[in-house]
Amino acid sequence: EDQVTQSPEALRLQEGESSSLNCSYTVSGLRGLFWYRQDPGKGPEFLFTLYSAGEEKEKERLKATLTKKESFLHITAPKPEDSATYLCAVRPGGYQKVTFGTGTKLQVIP
Amino acid sequence: EAQVTQNPRYLITVTGKKLTVTCSQNMNHEYMSWYRQDPGLGLRQIYYSMNVEVTDKGDVPEGYKVSRKEKRNFPLILESPSPNQTSLYFCASSLIPGEKLFFGSGTQLSVL
C-alpha cells in the first residue's frame, strides 16, 4: 500500500528563517512526486513535479528535491505570504491513483 | 481563465436525502477525480475518470457514485448520505492522469 508521511505537522518560522519540510514515501515504482500549496478555504495549488532521484525544482523561495525514499521542500528566507499548508503526493507507476500526505502547516511570523 | 468549478460551495442536508455535487472544467482535460479532505487524514481519493464513460474507484469509494457522460463534467453523487460523509470535497482535473492537478474551490458538506 502506498504511503506518504509528512513532517513536521506544523512549523512556525520567523520571517527570513530558512527551513525544510519533509515528505517520506513508500510506493511501488514511483511515477511522480508532487508538491502542492493549500491556503485556508481553497483548493490545493500545484507547485512542483519530481520524477527521479536527484531531481530538483525551484520556484522563487521554494526548492524541491527528491531521493529514493523522501522529498524535501526547502524554504529560503520565507515571507508571511508563504504561510500555507504544503501537501506532498505520489503517483505509483502503472496506476492513475494519487496518494496525498496529511500536509505541513507553515506559519511565517513577520 | 482555466478553472475547475464546483457547486455548491456549502451544502447542509439530512441523512438519506440524495444529493449531487457538480464539477466542470474548461481545460479539455481527460483526467478528473474527486477527493475528500478530513482533519488528520488529508486528501483521500474517492473516484477518478480517465475519459468519458471510463471511471474507477479510488481509496474511499463506498457510499459514492460518479458519472462521466461529457468530458468537461464529473458529478459526485451521494444516493443516501450519512453523517460520516460530512467532509470537504474537492474535484480536480489534469492533462496527464494524476499529475499537475487543477483543483476546484471545494464543497463543504454537512450531513445531519
Side-chain angles (χ1 to χ4, degrees), chain A residues 36 38 41 51 91 96-97, chain B residues 9 31 37 59 97 99 101:
Chain A
Y36 290 84
Q38 186 175 22
Y51 291 109
R91 180 189 162 191
Q96 289 73 42
K97 291 198 318 183
Chain B
R9 184 74 175 89
Y31 183 89
Q37 187 172 39
D59 293 318
E99 301 191 15
L101 292 162

Side-chain angles (χ1 to χ4, degrees), chain B residues 20-23 34 65-69 73-77:
Chain B
T20 299
V21 183
T22 64
C23 174
W34 276 102
K65 282 179 60 176
V66 293
S67 70
R68 188 92 181 273
K69 293 184 169 56
N73 296 323
F74 190 43
L76 179 69
I77 303 158

